[in-house]
PDB file of all heavy atoms in Angstrom:
ATOM      1  N   ARG A  13     -26.970 -26.792  -3.876  1.00 80.00           N
ATOM      2  CA  ARG A  13     -28.005 -26.072  -4.617  1.00 80.00           C
ATOM      3  C   ARG A  13     -29.269 -25.911  -3.773  1.00 80.00           C
ATOM      4  O   ARG A  13     -29.958 -24.903  -3.850  1.00 80.00           O
ATOM      5  CB  ARG A  13     -28.330 -26.836  -5.907  1.00 80.00           C
ATOM      6  CG  ARG A  13     -28.995 -26.043  -6.992  1.00 80.00           C
ATOM      7  CD  ARG A  13     -28.028 -25.121  -7.666  1.00 80.00           C
ATOM      8  NE  ARG A  13     -28.275 -23.732  -7.354  1.00 80.00           N
ATOM      9  CZ  ARG A  13     -27.337 -22.776  -7.442  1.00 80.00           C
ATOM     10  NH1 ARG A  13     -26.122 -23.074  -7.805  1.00 80.00           N
ATOM     11  NH2 ARG A  13     -27.609 -21.549  -7.135  1.00 80.00           N
ATOM     12  N   GLU A  25     -38.357 -13.302  -0.342  1.00 92.00           N
ATOM     13  CA  GLU A  25     -39.679 -13.346   0.307  1.00 92.00           C
ATOM     14  C   GLU A  25     -39.755 -12.394   1.479  1.00 92.00           C
ATOM     15  O   GLU A  25     -40.814 -11.820   1.756  1.00 92.00           O
ATOM     16  CB  GLU A  25     -39.967 -14.771   0.809  1.00 92.00           C
ATOM     17  CG  GLU A  25     -40.285 -15.763  -0.318  1.00 92.00           C
ATOM     18  CD  GLU A  25     -40.316 -17.211   0.180  1.00 92.00           C
ATOM     19  OE1 GLU A  25     -40.079 -17.409   1.401  1.00 92.00           O
ATOM     20  OE2 GLU A  25     -40.528 -18.117  -0.625  1.00 92.00           O
ATOM     21  N   HIS A  29     -35.567  -5.076  -0.581  1.00 96.00           N
ATOM     22  CA  HIS A  29     -34.247  -4.684  -1.059  1.00 96.00           C
ATOM     23  C   HIS A  29     -34.239  -3.259  -1.620  1.00 96.00           C
ATOM     24  O   HIS A  29     -35.191  -2.855  -2.305  1.00 96.00           O
ATOM     25  CB  HIS A  29     -33.773  -5.616  -2.174  1.00 96.00           C
ATOM     26  CG  HIS A  29     -33.405  -6.977  -1.739  1.00 96.00           C
ATOM     27  ND1 HIS A  29     -34.332  -7.878  -1.230  1.00 96.00           N
ATOM     28  CD2 HIS A  29     -32.227  -7.652  -1.722  1.00 96.00           C
ATOM     29  CE1 HIS A  29     -33.719  -9.032  -0.940  1.00 96.00           C
ATOM     30  NE2 HIS A  29     -32.453  -8.917  -1.237  1.00 96.00           N
ATOM     31  N   THR A  31     -31.327  -1.271  -3.905  1.00 96.00           N
ATOM     32  CA  THR A  31     -30.044  -1.528  -4.559  1.00 96.00           C
ATOM     33  C   THR A  31     -29.572  -0.315  -5.333  1.00 96.00           C
ATOM     34  O   THR A  31     -30.386   0.339  -5.986  1.00 96.00           O
ATOM     35  CB  THR A  31     -30.135  -2.739  -5.493  1.00 96.00           C
ATOM     36  OG1 THR A  31     -30.729  -3.836  -4.782  1.00 96.00           O
ATOM     37  CG2 THR A  31     -28.773  -3.163  -6.006  1.00 96.00           C
ATOM     38  N   ARG A  78     -23.450   0.571  10.814  1.00 96.00           N
ATOM     39  CA  ARG A  78     -24.816   0.031  10.711  1.00 96.00           C
ATOM     40  C   ARG A  78     -24.916  -0.939   9.542  1.00 96.00           C
ATOM     41  O   ARG A  78     -25.792  -1.822   9.519  1.00 96.00           O
ATOM     42  CB  ARG A  78     -25.809   1.175  10.554  1.00 96.00           C
ATOM     43  CG  ARG A  78     -27.273   0.801  10.757  1.00 96.00           C
ATOM     44  CD  ARG A  78     -28.160   2.024  10.539  1.00 96.00           C
ATOM     45  NE  ARG A  78     -29.582   1.732  10.727  1.00 96.00           N
ATOM     46  CZ  ARG A  78     -30.239   1.957  11.849  1.00 96.00           C
ATOM     47  NH1 ARG A  78     -29.629   2.478  12.908  1.00 96.00           N
ATOM     48  NH2 ARG A  78     -31.547   1.697  11.931  1.00 96.00           N
ATOM     49  N   ARG A  91     -41.727  -6.139  15.446  1.00 91.00           N
ATOM     50  CA  ARG A  91     -40.609  -5.894  16.348  1.00 91.00           C
ATOM     51  C   ARG A  91     -39.287  -6.207  15.641  1.00 91.00           C
ATOM     52  O   ARG A  91     -39.173  -7.278  15.050  1.00 91.00           O
ATOM     53  CB  ARG A  91     -40.751  -6.722  17.626  1.00 91.00           C
ATOM     54  CG  ARG A  91     -41.900  -6.341  18.512  1.00 91.00           C
ATOM     55  CD  ARG A  91     -41.988  -7.268  19.688  1.00 91.00           C
ATOM     56  NE  ARG A  91     -43.101  -6.923  20.587  1.00 91.00           N
ATOM     57  CZ  ARG A  91     -43.481  -7.650  21.634  1.00 91.00           C
ATOM     58  NH1 ARG A  91     -42.830  -8.766  21.917  1.00 91.00           N
ATOM     59  NH2 ARG A  91     -44.509  -7.252  22.366  1.00 91.00           N
ATOM     60  N   LYS A  99     -16.783  -7.378  14.788  1.00 96.00           N
ATOM     61  CA  LYS A  99     -15.929  -7.836  13.682  1.00 96.00           C
ATOM     62  C   LYS A  99     -16.700  -7.878  12.382  1.00 96.00           C
ATOM     63  O   LYS A  99     -17.904  -8.018  12.388  1.00 96.00           O
ATOM     64  CB  LYS A  99     -15.358  -9.228  14.024  1.00 96.00           C
ATOM     65  CG  LYS A  99     -14.480  -9.287  15.247  1.00 96.00           C
ATOM     66  CD  LYS A  99     -14.016 -10.688  15.524  1.00 96.00           C
ATOM     67  CE  LYS A  99     -13.126 -10.746  16.774  1.00 96.00           C
ATOM     68  NZ  LYS A  99     -12.707 -12.139  17.106  1.00 96.00           N
ATOM     69  N   ASP A 123      -9.885  -5.554  10.326  1.00 94.00           N
ATOM     70  CA  ASP A 123      -8.718  -4.822  10.863  1.00 94.00           C
ATOM     71  C   ASP A 123      -7.419  -5.535  10.601  1.00 94.00           C
ATOM     72  O   ASP A 123      -6.471  -5.379  11.383  1.00 94.00           O
ATOM     73  CB  ASP A 123      -8.923  -4.593  12.347  1.00 94.00           C
ATOM     74  CG  ASP A 123     -10.065  -3.649  12.659  1.00 94.00           C
ATOM     75  OD1 ASP A 123     -10.114  -2.558  12.078  1.00 94.00           O
ATOM     76  OD2 ASP A 123     -10.960  -4.039  13.450  1.00 94.00           O
ATOM     77  N   LYS A 132      -5.061 -15.616   4.590  1.00 96.00           N
ATOM     78  CA  LYS A 132      -6.283 -16.267   5.037  1.00 96.00           C
ATOM     79  C   LYS A 132      -7.108 -16.789   3.859  1.00 96.00           C
ATOM     80  O   LYS A 132      -7.655 -17.912   3.915  1.00 96.00           O
ATOM     81  CB  LYS A 132      -7.141 -15.285   5.858  1.00 96.00           C
ATOM     82  CG  LYS A 132      -6.599 -15.006   7.233  1.00 96.00           C
ATOM     83  CD  LYS A 132      -7.477 -14.071   8.040  1.00 96.00           C
ATOM     84  CE  LYS A 132      -8.729 -14.745   8.527  1.00 96.00           C
ATOM     85  NZ  LYS A 132      -9.456 -13.957   9.539  1.00 96.00           N
ATOM     86  N   THR A 169     -38.731 -28.505  10.196  1.00 46.00           N
ATOM     87  CA  THR A 169     -37.704 -29.495  10.456  1.00 46.00           C
ATOM     88  C   THR A 169     -38.046 -30.821   9.819  1.00 46.00           C
ATOM     89  O   THR A 169     -37.207 -31.444   9.152  1.00 46.00           O
ATOM     90  CB  THR A 169     -37.558 -29.687  11.988  1.00 46.00           C
ATOM     91  OG1 THR A 169     -37.170 -28.438  12.574  1.00 46.00           O
ATOM     92  CG2 THR A 169     -36.491 -30.726  12.297  1.00 46.00           C
ATOM     93  N   ILE A 170     -39.278 -31.270   9.972  1.00 47.00           N
ATOM     94  CA  ILE A 170     -39.711 -32.544   9.389  1.00 47.00           C
ATOM     95  C   ILE A 170     -39.635 -32.502   7.874  1.00 47.00           C
ATOM     96  O   ILE A 170     -39.152 -33.435   7.231  1.00 47.00           O
ATOM     97  CB  ILE A 170     -41.157 -32.877   9.853  1.00 47.00           C
ATOM     98  CG1 ILE A 170     -41.175 -33.120  11.365  1.00 47.00           C
ATOM     99  CG2 ILE A 170     -41.690 -34.080   9.096  1.00 47.00           C
ATOM    100  CD1 ILE A 170     -42.559 -33.287  11.934  1.00 47.00           C
ATOM    101  N   LEU A 173     -35.906 -32.639   6.714  1.00 50.00           N
ATOM    102  CA  LEU A 173     -35.338 -33.975   6.860  1.00 50.00           C
ATOM    103  C   LEU A 173     -35.904 -34.947   5.831  1.00 50.00           C
ATOM    104  O   LEU A 173     -35.190 -35.777   5.268  1.00 50.00           O
ATOM    105  CB  LEU A 173     -35.590 -34.513   8.276  1.00 50.00           C
ATOM    106  CG  LEU A 173     -34.814 -33.794   9.402  1.00 50.00           C
ATOM    107  CD1 LEU A 173     -35.264 -34.259  10.765  1.00 50.00           C
ATOM    108  CD2 LEU A 173     -33.307 -34.001   9.244  1.00 50.00           C
ATOM    109  N   SER A 188     -20.244 -42.526   4.121  1.00 84.00           N
ATOM    110  CA  SER A 188     -20.560 -43.544   5.138  1.00 84.00           C
ATOM    111  C   SER A 188     -19.399 -44.537   5.203  1.00 84.00           C
ATOM    112  O   SER A 188     -18.535 -44.583   4.311  1.00 84.00           O
ATOM    113  CB  SER A 188     -21.867 -44.269   4.785  1.00 84.00           C
ATOM    114  OG  SER A 188     -21.737 -44.922   3.539  1.00 84.00           O
ATOM    115  N   ILE A 216     -19.734 -10.225   0.194  1.00 97.00           N
ATOM    116  CA  ILE A 216     -19.025  -9.509  -0.876  1.00 97.00           C
ATOM    117  C   ILE A 216     -18.760 -10.517  -2.001  1.00 97.00           C
ATOM    118  O   ILE A 216     -18.024 -11.484  -1.803  1.00 97.00           O
ATOM    119  CB  ILE A 216     -17.701  -8.894  -0.392  1.00 97.00           C
ATOM    120  CG1 ILE A 216     -17.952  -7.935   0.789  1.00 97.00           C
ATOM    121  CG2 ILE A 216     -16.995  -8.165  -1.555  1.00 97.00           C
ATOM    122  CD1 ILE A 216     -16.666  -7.364   1.380  1.00 97.00           C
ATOM    123  N   LEU A 232     -29.434  -6.360  -9.510  1.00 90.00           N
ATOM    124  CA  LEU A 232     -30.174  -6.966  -8.412  1.00 90.00           C
ATOM    125  C   LEU A 232     -29.229  -7.893  -7.660  1.00 90.00           C
ATOM    126  O   LEU A 232     -28.514  -8.683  -8.276  1.00 90.00           O
ATOM    127  CB  LEU A 232     -31.397  -7.737  -8.919  1.00 90.00           C
ATOM    128  CG  LEU A 232     -32.550  -6.930  -9.430  1.00 90.00           C
ATOM    129  CD1 LEU A 232     -33.621  -7.838 -10.040  1.00 90.00           C
ATOM    130  CD2 LEU A 232     -33.172  -6.060  -8.360  1.00 90.00           C
ATOM    131  N   ASN A 246     -18.010  -5.523  -9.672  1.00 96.00           N
ATOM    132  CA  ASN A 246     -18.139  -5.853 -11.077  1.00 96.00           C
ATOM    133  C   ASN A 246     -16.789  -5.790 -11.765  1.00 96.00           C
ATOM    134  O   ASN A 246     -15.752  -5.509 -11.125  1.00 96.00           O
ATOM    135  CB  ASN A 246     -19.132  -4.888 -11.719  1.00 96.00           C
ATOM    136  CG  ASN A 246     -20.530  -5.027 -11.113  1.00 96.00           C
ATOM    137  OD1 ASN A 246     -21.337  -5.853 -11.523  1.00 96.00           O
ATOM    138  ND2 ASN A 246     -20.836  -4.202 -10.125  1.00 96.00           N
ATOM    139  N   THR A 248     -13.868  -4.236 -14.143  1.00 95.00           N
ATOM    140  CA  THR A 248     -13.386  -2.903 -14.543  1.00 95.00           C
ATOM    141  C   THR A 248     -13.658  -2.695 -16.028  1.00 95.00           C
ATOM    142  O   THR A 248     -13.412  -3.591 -16.832  1.00 95.00           O
ATOM    143  CB  THR A 248     -11.882  -2.764 -14.240  1.00 95.00           C
ATOM    144  OG1 THR A 248     -11.659  -2.969 -12.844  1.00 95.00           O
ATOM    145  CG2 THR A 248     -11.395  -1.366 -14.643  1.00 95.00           C
ATOM    146  N   LEU A 304      -1.136   1.460   0.069  1.00 96.00           N
ATOM    147  CA  LEU A 304       0.213   0.999   0.354  1.00 96.00           C
ATOM    148  C   LEU A 304       0.441   0.822   1.849  1.00 96.00           C
ATOM    149  O   LEU A 304       1.243  -0.005   2.267  1.00 96.00           O
ATOM    150  CB  LEU A 304       1.229   1.969  -0.235  1.00 96.00           C
ATOM    151  CG  LEU A 304       1.233   2.126  -1.774  1.00 96.00           C
ATOM    152  CD1 LEU A 304       2.232   3.183  -2.215  1.00 96.00           C
ATOM    153  CD2 LEU A 304       1.499   0.794  -2.459  1.00 96.00           C
TER     154      LEU A 304
END
Side-chain angles (χ1 to χ4, degrees):
R13 199 75 251 157
E25 288 169 0
H29 290 65
T31 309
R78 194 181 180 97
R91 292 177 180 173
K99 297 178 181 178
D123 294 308
K132 287 182 74 168
T169 300
I170 294 172
L173 291 173
S188 61
I216 303 176
L232 289 175
N246 298 274
T248 301
L304 296 177

